[in-house]
Amino acid sequence: MKQKPTPCELLSKVDIFSSLDTESLELIAQKMTLVTYKKGDIICREGETGDRMFVIVSGEITVVKMGAEGVEVEITVLKPGEVAGVMSIFDKDVRSATLRVKNNAELLMLDKETFQHILSRNTELSNKLLAYLSRQLRAETYTVAKLLTGDVDKRVKVAFFDTKPYTESIFRELNKEKYALHFFEPRLNTNTVSLSSGFQVVCAFVNDDLSAPVLELLKRNKVELIAMRCAGYNNVDIECAHKLGISLTRVPAYSPNAVAEHAAALLLALNRKINRAYNRVREGNFSLNGLVGFDLYQKTAGVIGIGKIGKCLVNILRGFGMTVLGYDKYQDKDFAKAHELHYVELDELFSRSDIISLHAPLIPQTHHVINKSAIQKMKPGVVLVNTSRGALIDTTALINGLKSGKIGAAGLDVYEEEEEYFFEDLSDKIITDDTLARLMTFNNVIITSHQAFLTREALSEIARVTLESITLYNQGKRLAELPNAVLPKFKK
Ligand code: NAI
């Protein structure tokens, strides 16, 4: 036989108590009284003042209102788990309807005095209820304002976090008013998650916090889809999202050419010292001293990670007439043959390359793949380029290599501890990261702020794929049914 729900379970289903933990629910449940009513009994009458709330445990209650000319009108029938008179436990309330027992019923009853006694002794519980009520008030105020202006937007609402003007303009352009997009500048975290109230979809980026506490609050705000507008998802608790039934999508690939071309730009700028030449000429210094570079033609390049981006770079480097060596855990022999790429072991790549570019993902095996021992094996004056992930390089070893002259130049689009700095204008702040500050002092180091992906084509592809995921969600697809879904490992 089906067991009756416990008072605590019943309470947890009541909207205003839904944000409370089990301990708080128990506290209230203990103070509730179980009352029984017979068929036809009146629990309360329309127009009377009342100071108690009821949760129906068993039986059914008819809600009736006095209509025109004294005729009773049945409004609804309350069933087990439903609640009546909830606001009267905060303040005496005039009953808006009569409650009549349809068939024998058991109700859990809580009166205002008892409830206020519980509140006066439990600040934490009071705060949680207050927070819930203020969230509701904000959502309702928003809805009422919309209704008053006749501006009721039925479109799917999407909240973007950590947005920049370039994100907003491309999404607005491709969206063509199909979905209601709202762009929030702050990053998503426990302090900003309340902004997601009223949105079915959240669109997040690499530095947003999507850990379990944030996901739980998103769920409470009824967010159903998190559309990541990036490839990586190391900032998301995927298991938790899945458990909560929140769908998660990403953009697996956007423009490998964009990143490869940026790597080539860093290489050319470093080798031909464009940054220094540009500054000199602006100052009226037309001297060429110290600006000597080398021909890339017939030199040797080493590419670590021959995936989508690595392959684009191989093409570019072959175009310069370079010999290209590649290292990858998995070799694409057909590509190598077609593009005259020579797969070698890492040590050989280190010892033969005049320039080295990194395009492997950050995984435990590639963490600090460029370290002190790797640098020792490299050619003196080697040019190092990293557009992949900062932690592929041991930054201390890199600084030592630059100081000794072993490394001739370094082009870095990524940095191990970039989260605090990259993407932001901190020009009026002090840089407290001494390692980053030291790197910035070298005249043979160019740092860009994780911008390798930043081309119109890549942004457009990111927006297109993200909006496509939202369309599929809108068509009713959820979790694994979404083509770019991110699922927990055991679900793959
Ligand atoms: P991909 O998955 O197509 O290629 C990665 C390649 O690395 C694969 O061929 C894989 O076999 C190889 N690999 C795996 N383990 C390896 C190991 N232990 N040693 C050497 N190679 C290994 O990825 P894609 O699209 O080429 O991206 C590469 C990296 O570029 C990404 O992981 C990401 O970190 C970075 N990236 C940077 C961007 C930026 O704006 N700076 C933008 C997009 C990606």
Side-chain angles (χ1 to χ4, degrees), residues 91-276:
D91 203 356
K92 272 190 182 168
D93 211 4
V94 176
R95 300 296 187 194
S96 58
T98 298
L99 299 184
R100 183 180 297 125
V101 180
K102 190 170 179 193
N103 44 38
N104 294 352
E106 286 176 307
L107 279 72
L108 275 170
M109 193 261 296
L110 179 67
D111 63 72
K112 177 180 162 252
E113 207 182 311
T114 311
F115 182 60
Q116 305 229 324
H117 185 71
I118 298 172
L119 290 184
S120 65
R121 290 172 171 253
N122 296 280
T123 332
E124 202 183 326
L125 193 154
S126 309
N127 284 341
K128 279 188 186 155
L129 286 177
L130 205 56
Y132 173 85
L133 289 170
S134 42
R135 271 200 303 274
Q136 288 300 103
L137 184 64
R138 188 169 38 202
E140 300 299 341
T141 310
Y142 179 77
T143 314
V144 170
K146 289 275 180 192
L147 284 169
L148 285 176
T149 55
D151 174 22
V152 187
D153 194 343
K154 298 231 167 46
R155 296 174 299 170
V156 169
K157 296 182 182 59
V158 188
F160 286 70
F161 285 86
D162 197 10
T163 61
K164 301 282 183 258
Y166 49 84
T167 324
E168 181 165 349
S169 63
I170 191 71
F171 270 94
R172 285 211 187 282
E173 187 187 322
L174 295 197
N175 180 50
K176 296 190 174 56
E177 305 289 327
K178 190 169 176 191
Y179 304 113
L181 308 185
H182 197 99
F183 295 85
F184 295 114
E185 270 181 47
R187 286 183 184 167
L188 178 62
N189 54 41
T190 44
N191 296 324
T192 59
V193 66
S194 58
L195 294 169
S196 67
S197 177
F199 292 91
Q200 296 99 312
V201 180
V202 155
C203 184
F205 199 43
V206 288
N207 288 320
D208 287 315
D209 174 4
L210 289 147
S211 56
V214 178
L215 291 171
E216 272 155 23
L217 292 166
L218 287 175
K219 177 74 185 174
R220 198 173 293 165
N221 282 349
K222 302 192 170 51
V223 169
E224 294 180 15
L225 168 69
I226 297 169
M228 300 297 294
R229 52 179 196 279
C230 54
Y233 46 85
N234 51 303
N235 49 336
V236 190
D237 186 332
I238 306 165
E239 267 78 16
C240 177
H242 198 74
K243 238 185 260 161
L244 292 169
I246 301 179
S247 301
L248 178 67
T249 60
R250 65 176 184 130
V251 185
Y254 25 97
S255 172
N257 293 297
V259 184
E261 287 170 16
H262 191 76
L266 288 173
L267 168 63
L268 292 174
L270 285 166
N271 178 29
R272 306 308 299 270
K273 300 166 177 56
I274 303 295
N275 51 330
R276 296 177 62 201

Side-chain angles (χ1 to χ4, degrees), residues 35 46 108 111 118 121 139 168 184 281 291 294 347 351 462:
V35 282
E46 183 179 3
L108 275 170
D111 63 72
I118 298 172
R121 290 172 171 253
E168 181 165 349
F184 295 114
V281 171
L291 299 186
F294 61 86
D347 280 359
S351 63
I462 289 172

Side-chain angles (χ1 to χ4, degrees), residues 254 259 304-310 327-330 359-363 365-366 387-389 413-414 450 452-453:
Y254 25 97
V259 184
I304 298 179
I306 311 288
K308 291 182 282 298
I309 298 169
Y327 172 75
D328 197 301
K329 224 174 139 200
Y330 311 96
H359 301 284
L362 176 61
I363 48 175
Q365 298 92 303
T366 57
T387 57
S388 187
R389 285 290 180 266
D413 186 50
V414 285
H450 207 136
F453 74 100

